[in-house]
Amino acid sequence: MTETIATFASVFALVNLSERQRDALAAVKPELAAEFVRLIYREVKNNPHSTTLLIALLRRAEESGLPLSEWISDSIVVYQWLSRRGQTASLTDTVEYISCAFEGSALQMGHSLEWYLECHGFANAKDKAESSE
């Protein structure tokens, strides 16, 4: 088991993933996987639906044609942006936001994920105090 797979396995049940999905996870750099897991830990730890969340992310990456590592990097960007504002969001909402940003960026050159966050904010963000209740 690689370091990256072990990191993901610490919070997700990987047994039902396809070989292709496991390969996509294994291709993520260990430090990227560790940061991602650290940021989503509270949401996915002991969550019976955590693997469903991971599979949704894997499918989005596959459908987009972009590597999973890019989706994970962008998720980290979103979570860090939210954290600087004392906010958080669900993994589902984060993946949806990134998907919309990718789509919009394809239509309008120069509109990065950061541009969308700064110009439009994140409507589904929650205050950290609110999410820990």
Side-chain angles (χ1 to χ4, degrees):
M1 181 181 308
T2 68
E3 181 181 347
T4 298
I5 293 294
T7 299
F8 284 113
S10 71
V11 292
F12 296 109
L14 304 181
V15 68
N16 292 326
L17 298 184
S18 69
E19 185 176 339
R20 183 183 200 156
Q21 290 169 325
R22 270 181 264 188
D23 289 345
L25 288 176
V28 174
K29 291 182 179 175
E31 55 278 359
L32 197 60
E35 179 65 8
F36 178 70
V37 166
R38 186 186 70 75
L39 290 167
I40 63 167
Y41 183 82
R42 293 185 89 180
E43 180 182 357
V44 299
K45 182 70 173 151
N46 299 322
N47 179 342
H49 304 290
S50 65
T51 302
T52 303
L53 298 172
L54 178 62
I55 290 171
L57 174 60
L58 287 161
R59 284 189 180 139
R60 283 289 176 108
E62 190 173 330
E63 290 166 3
S64 74
L66 298 169
L68 177 63
S69 59
E70 189 167 335
W71 281 83
I72 289 175
S73 290
D74 283 345
S75 296
I76 291 169
V77 166
V78 171
Y79 281 112
Q80 289 173 339
W81 185 89
L82 290 166
S83 182
R84 287 191 300 274
R85 286 153 182 79
Q87 298 177 311
T88 191
S90 71
L91 181 57
T92 300
D93 288 341
T94 301
V95 169
E96 187 63 34
Y97 191 94
I98 294 166
S99 180
C100 290
F102 280 153
E103 217 172 281
S105 295
L107 300 173
Q108 189 73 21
M109 296 305 289
H111 289 188
S112 66
L113 176 61
E114 292 86 351
W115 181 89
Y116 281 100
L117 288 165
E118 292 303 326
C119 291
H120 299 287
F122 195 111
N124 291 337
K126 297 176 185 146
D127 289 334
K128 282 189 178 178
E130 187 182 316
S131 68
S132 62
E133 293 174 354

